[in-house]
Amino acid sequence: MKRFFFTLVALCAIVVAQAQPGMGGGMGMGGGMRMGGGMGMGGGMMMRGGMMPGMNPDEKPFYQNESDSIVQACLYDLPFFVDSKKVDKFRKLVKMEYEEVCRSMQMSVIENLLTNQMAANGGRMAGPGYGFAGDSEQKDLDQEAIRKNVDSITAKYAKKYKKMLDPDQFEQWNVIQDKRYGRGMGFLLAHVYENSSIDF
């Protein structure tokens, strides 16, 4: 609870900082990342992917922009035929699951970037007038917690897929799912991290 409150305060401070005249920048679409190290080390970074307070609501998070192609790829990968009456429902489930997983990952990444940005500033928020005391140590991304969140989300959707598919189809679908959310989760997390960054 304390951690959540700390993050919430930090997010509110960012919104206020962005509204200050002369602060420059604003959270917009950026180019490459400016990372002060590897994953979990984030320094001052530009927002590129997810929706954050103060961001233009017309700018879609990266995972919404790419989810249609993800769905299409999944349909191409299907080693079985889904009844035409179920295709639209199946397509929606795949899209919703992918976006929910990415949002969950992105929230963890943003929290990590905020924590490390404040650590880089001696445990305080950047900008004049901000004096939030905090931990001054850099934190690694908690991949175990992210894994648990992803498992929880995919388990929820697995129940829905299971109702649509027969046992053999469901087993084959799980193989496809494992490529993205199981063994392939590290690649997806790296992709989310690359597209989820902030700039104070």
Side-chain angles (χ1 to χ4, degrees), residues 48-91:
R48 291 204 312 163
M51 189 67 65
M52 288 286 290
M55 187 175 178
N56 186 343
D58 293 332
E59 295 176 2
K60 290 185 177 180
F62 76 96
Y63 46 80
Q64 287 186 4
N65 287 326
E66 69 186 19
S67 59
D68 286 338
S69 61
I70 293 294
V71 171
Q72 196 60 45
C74 283
L75 293 178
Y76 280 136
D77 284 343
L78 291 179
F80 52 84
F81 180 76
V82 178
D83 187 283
S84 58
K85 295 179 181 179
K86 299 179 181 178
V87 169
D88 285 342
K89 183 178 180 181
F90 191 82
R91 183 191 301 271

Side-chain angles (χ1 to χ4, degrees), residues 140-151 185 189:
D140 290 332
L141 200 58
D142 189 347
Q143 297 190 41
E144 183 177 347
I146 292 174
R147 163 70 70 183
K148 289 180 180 179
N149 288 337
V150 171
D151 286 346
M185 198 196 81
L189 180 56

Side-chain angles (χ1 to χ4, degrees), residues 117-126 130-135:
Q117 180 64 48
M118 284 185 281
N121 292 322
R124 299 179 183 276
M125 287 292 296
Y130 296 103
F132 297 109
D135 196 339

Side-chain angles (χ1 to χ4, degrees), residues 17-193:
Q18 293 299 326
Q20 297 294 322
M23 290 295 286
M27 293 186 184
M29 302 302 286
M33 293 192 300
R34 300 194 302 274
M35 289 198 296
M39 183 177 295
M41 296 301 293
M45 305 172 73
M46 297 193 70
M47 184 70 187
R48 291 204 312 163
M51 189 67 65
M52 288 286 290
M55 187 175 178
N56 186 343
D58 293 332
E59 295 176 2
K60 290 185 177 180
F62 76 96
Y63 46 80
Q64 287 186 4
N65 287 326
E66 69 186 19
S67 59
D68 286 338
S69 61
I70 293 294
V71 171
Q72 196 60 45
C74 283
L75 293 178
Y76 280 136
D77 284 343
L78 291 179
F80 52 84
F81 180 76
V82 178
D83 187 283
S84 58
K85 295 179 181 179
K86 299 179 181 178
V87 169
D88 285 342
K89 183 178 180 181
F90 191 82
R91 183 191 301 271
K92 289 178 182 178
L93 282 179
V94 174
K95 183 172 182 175
M96 288 170 60
E97 180 183 39
Y98 177 75
E99 292 184 359
E100 188 170 342
V101 166
C102 286
R103 281 198 305 271
S104 174
M105 287 183 170
Q106 191 168 63
M107 288 184 68
S108 296
V109 168
I110 294 298
E111 181 179 352
N112 178 257
L113 294 177
L114 285 170
T115 299
N116 287 338
Q117 180 64 48
M118 284 185 281
N121 292 322
R124 299 179 183 276
M125 287 292 296
Y130 296 103
F132 297 109
D135 196 339
S136 60
E137 293 185 6
Q138 295 281 320
K139 302 292 185 182
D140 290 332
L141 200 58
D142 189 347
Q143 297 190 41
E144 183 177 347
I146 292 174
R147 163 70 70 183
K148 289 180 180 179
N149 288 337
V150 171
D151 286 346
S152 176
I153 294 169
T154 55
K156 176 180 67 176
Y157 282 91
K159 294 177 181 178
K160 298 178 181 181
Y161 294 129
K162 193 171 185 178
K163 292 179 181 179
M164 298 179 63
L165 307 172
D166 64 40
D168 288 340
Q169 291 175 336
F170 184 63
E171 183 177 349
Q172 293 177 74
W173 173 242
N174 282 337
V175 172
I176 295 174
Q177 289 287 79
D178 187 51
K179 291 179 181 178
R180 177 168 297 110
Y181 305 127
R183 292 171 298 166
M185 198 196 81
F187 294 103
L188 180 57
L189 180 56
H191 178 55
V192 171
Y193 190 93

